[in-house]
């Protein structure tokens, strides 16, 4: 039984971070790698704040965790120090809790009843508890290869090795199918490898999970674009002939551009993701990055996760200055729910550690022009106000006053969102067209209009959270398993939108 008054005895305490000077001198994770005994004791106290509500909103898919994580159950198991059972219950709903514990902005915490009242001391630190259980599971040898004891004789290709593809692949392999994951990049992991900086999740965390998948029997092919025509690529015809089902988990990495802004074509103006990929490749040992912030004034346009990732990356690369621009007003005090793209509570949780390290954030400003000869050297800014047009529901950005400010910038990073799936030959090869949102549509069984071809993750949903990618990967596995065998016992935590 949970302690119903635990939250009255203990305040919420987030995981301790490393000193800023240490963080800026290397690429290791921001959060302190605590001694297990110390971490476990602190996390047990945090878990004891959960009162095990009768109706736990934290684990409901509509408001809280899309995976349906059994949060009150594992909170109580941690409270009493039963880490093995907590690991079992956590892995029952989440293939990769060490990813979500590090990367998810925790909608579960926004949904926790203790987030409603200021007097409660804040929501249960669910994300911290989740990461501690996941890390303790690896330390205590509670994670092992769960090889299937049955074989269906069916073959499945998963295209894309990000979190959705990996979750689908692991579920289907464990169900007895022969699964091969195709990755066009030289290394596995998709966004987890080349989109997420080391300081948020070190690659060794990804690699040990990939080793588990390999031990379970999932096969991987890297440097292979399905539908491409380079040596080593796989044609769509071979894909269809070789596999009984195909899962598309190709992400939604087409960056939103600002093509009409004067000076957009100047050297030094890049998509945010290009910056992150190049930096991650350098961290992998591939030589100096092609887009370095070292010795430059850096301007990042955008207010979300990707912008923050660029911010921390540029700081660590030795930028002269880093400034992040957001056209919306500064939350939470003056943030207008009507115009804000972000819910307020998760935004508070997204008070990214990188912003306390260095640099500057500016709100209610927008770029008017990139200035330079061949390469960008400065940027002209205007104050703006964002309003919602009541007739169309669209947000409109309007300049305020006549003042134009020019700030130095030799590197500009566009982190203004994603427009959907990249245009790739695979799509036409499979007779698939993108929706107006740039995603791949599917029926209620996750199957695209092309027979035997399924879709999940950002490719279906649009750019979203890692927890949604895993939830969709698990759900598409259920659908593919049912398609191949007539029925499935695999869990399906979410349904297509
Ligand atoms: Fe515990 Fe909060 Fe979930 Fe209630 S909503 S079960 S207090 S974590």
């Amino acid at each position: 039984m949970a302690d119903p008054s635990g939250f009255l005895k203990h305040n919420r305490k987030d995981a301790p971070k490393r000193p800023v000077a240490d963080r800026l001198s290397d690429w290791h994770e921001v959060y302190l790698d605590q001694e297990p005994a110390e971490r476990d004791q602190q996390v047990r106290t945090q878990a004891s704040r959960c009162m095990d509500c009768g109706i736990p909103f934290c684990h409901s898919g509509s408001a809280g965790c899309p995976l349906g994580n059994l949060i009150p159950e594992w909170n109580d198991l941690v409270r009493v120090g039963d880490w093995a059972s907590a690991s079992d219950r956590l892995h029952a709903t989440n293939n990769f809790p060490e990813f979500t514990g590090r990367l998810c902005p925790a909608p579960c915490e926004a949904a926790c009843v203790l987030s409603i009242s200021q007097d409660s001391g804040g929501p249960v630190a669910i994300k911290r508890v989740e990461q501690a259980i996941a890390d303790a599971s690896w330390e205590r040898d509670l994670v092992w290869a769960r090889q299937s004891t049955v074989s269906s004789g069916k073959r499945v290709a998963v295209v894309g090795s990000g979190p959705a593809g990996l979750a689908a692949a692991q579920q289907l392999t464990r169900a007895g199918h022969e699964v091969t994951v195709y990755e066009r990049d030289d290394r596995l992991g998709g966004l987890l490898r080349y989109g997420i900086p080391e300081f948020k999740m070190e690659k060794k965390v990804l690699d040990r999970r990939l080793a588990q998948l390999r031990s379970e029997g999932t096969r991987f092919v890297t440097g292979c674009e399905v539908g491409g025509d380079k040596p080593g690529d796989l044609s769509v015809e071979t894909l269809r002939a070789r596999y009984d089902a195909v899962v598309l988990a190709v992400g939604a990495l087409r960056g939103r551009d600002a093509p009409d802004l004067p000076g957009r074509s100047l050297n030094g103006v890049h998509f945010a993701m290009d910056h992150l990929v190049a930096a991650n490749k350098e961290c992998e040992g591939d030589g100096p990055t092609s887009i370095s912030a070292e010795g430059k004034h850096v301007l990042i346009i955008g207010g979300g996760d990707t912008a923050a990732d660029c911010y921390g990356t540029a700081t660590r690369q030795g930028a002269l200055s880093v400034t992040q621009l957001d056209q919306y007003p500064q939350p939470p005090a003056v943030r207008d729910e009507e115009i804000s793209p972000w819910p307020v509570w998760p935004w508070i949780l997204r008070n990214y550690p990188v912003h306390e390290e260095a640099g500057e954030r500016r709100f209610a400003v927008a770029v008017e022009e990139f200035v330079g000869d061949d390469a960008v050297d400065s940027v002209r800014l205007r104050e703006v106000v964002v309003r919602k047009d009541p007739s169309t529901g669209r947000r409109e950005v309007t300049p305020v006053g006549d003042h134009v400010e020019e700030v130095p910038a030799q590197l500009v990073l566009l982190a203004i969102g994603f427009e959907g799936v990249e245009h790739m030959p695979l799509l036409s090869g499979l007779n698939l067209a993108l929706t107006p949102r740039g995603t791949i549509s599917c029926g209620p069984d996750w199957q695209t209009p092309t027979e035997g071809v399924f879709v999940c993750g950002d490719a279906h949903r649009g750019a979203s959270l890692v927890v949604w990618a895993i939830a969709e990967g698990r759900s598409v596995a259920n659908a593919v398993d049912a398609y191949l065998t007539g029925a499935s016992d695999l869990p399906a935590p979410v349904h297509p939108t």
Side-chain angles (χ1 to χ4, degrees), residues 4 36 43 52 85 98 189 200 207 223 230 240 286 359 380 428 448 458 487:
V43 169
D52 192 359
S85 298
E98 66 276 24
K200 280 174 74 176
D207 288 334
K230 298 185 300 303
R240 297 294 275 158
D286 288 356
R380 293 196 176 116
S428 55
T448 70
D458 287 359

Side-chain angles (χ1 to χ4, degrees), residues 461-473:
R461 189 177 184 78
S464 185
L465 309 178
V466 63
V467 67
W468 274 102
I470 298 171
E472 292 207 359

Side-chain angles (χ1 to χ4, degrees), residues 2 7 47 49-59 71-75 108-109 111-115 122-126:
F7 73 97
R49 297 185 66 246
C50 173
M51 65 178 102
D52 192 359
C53 309
I55 303 174
F57 294 112
C58 57
H59 93 151
I71 293 164
E73 274 191 55
W74 40 257
N75 270 338
C108 53
E109 294 189 7
C112 173
V113 291
L114 294 180
S115 72
V124 175
I126 301 169

Side-chain angles (χ1 to χ4, degrees), residues 264 266-276 278-279 289-301 309-311 313-315 317-325 367 370-371 375-379 407-415:
R264 167 62 184 91
L266 289 170
N267 290 326
V269 182
H270 298 276
F271 286 114
M273 196 51 68
D274 292 341
H275 177 233
L276 295 175
T289 172
S290 52
I291 308 176
S292 177
E294 186 176 4
K296 296 175 184 165
H297 294 289
V298 179
L299 207 76
I300 301 161
I301 306 172
D309 292 348
C310 288
Y311 191 106
T313 299
T315 308
Q317 287 177 331
L320 277 180
S321 70
V322 180
T323 306
Q324 183 178 337
L325 307 180
V367 172
F370 305 112
V371 182
V376 66
D377 195 46
S378 64
V379 169
V407 297
Q410 292 82 45
L411 176 62
V412 176
L413 303 169
L414 303 178

Side-chain angles (χ1 to χ4, degrees), residues 392-447:
T392 64
R394 295 174 66 90
R395 297 187 187 98
E396 291 181 346
V397 183
T398 312
V400 177
D402 297 326
H403 180 64
V404 177
E405 182 184 0
E406 189 159 333
V407 297
Q410 292 82 45
L411 176 62
V412 176
L413 303 169
L414 303 178
I416 49 179
F418 297 92
E419 292 190 326
V421 176
E422 293 167 275
H423 298 294
M424 51 182 76
L426 171 63
L427 297 179
S428 55
L430 290 171
N431 294 319
L432 292 174
L434 297 179
T435 68
R437 291 176 53 239
T439 55
I440 300 170
S441 66
C442 65
D445 61 352
W446 300 94
Q447 195 167 188

Side-chain angles (χ1 to χ4, degrees), residues 12-33:
R12 173 187 167 109
K13 283 208 178 123
D14 290 314
K17 290 174 243 169
R18 300 163 63 213
V20 168
D22 292 356
R23 282 147 56 178
L24 295 183
S25 68
D26 61 38
W27 289 93
H28 292 302
E29 289 182 9
V30 162
Y31 289 94
L32 201 59
D33 188 13

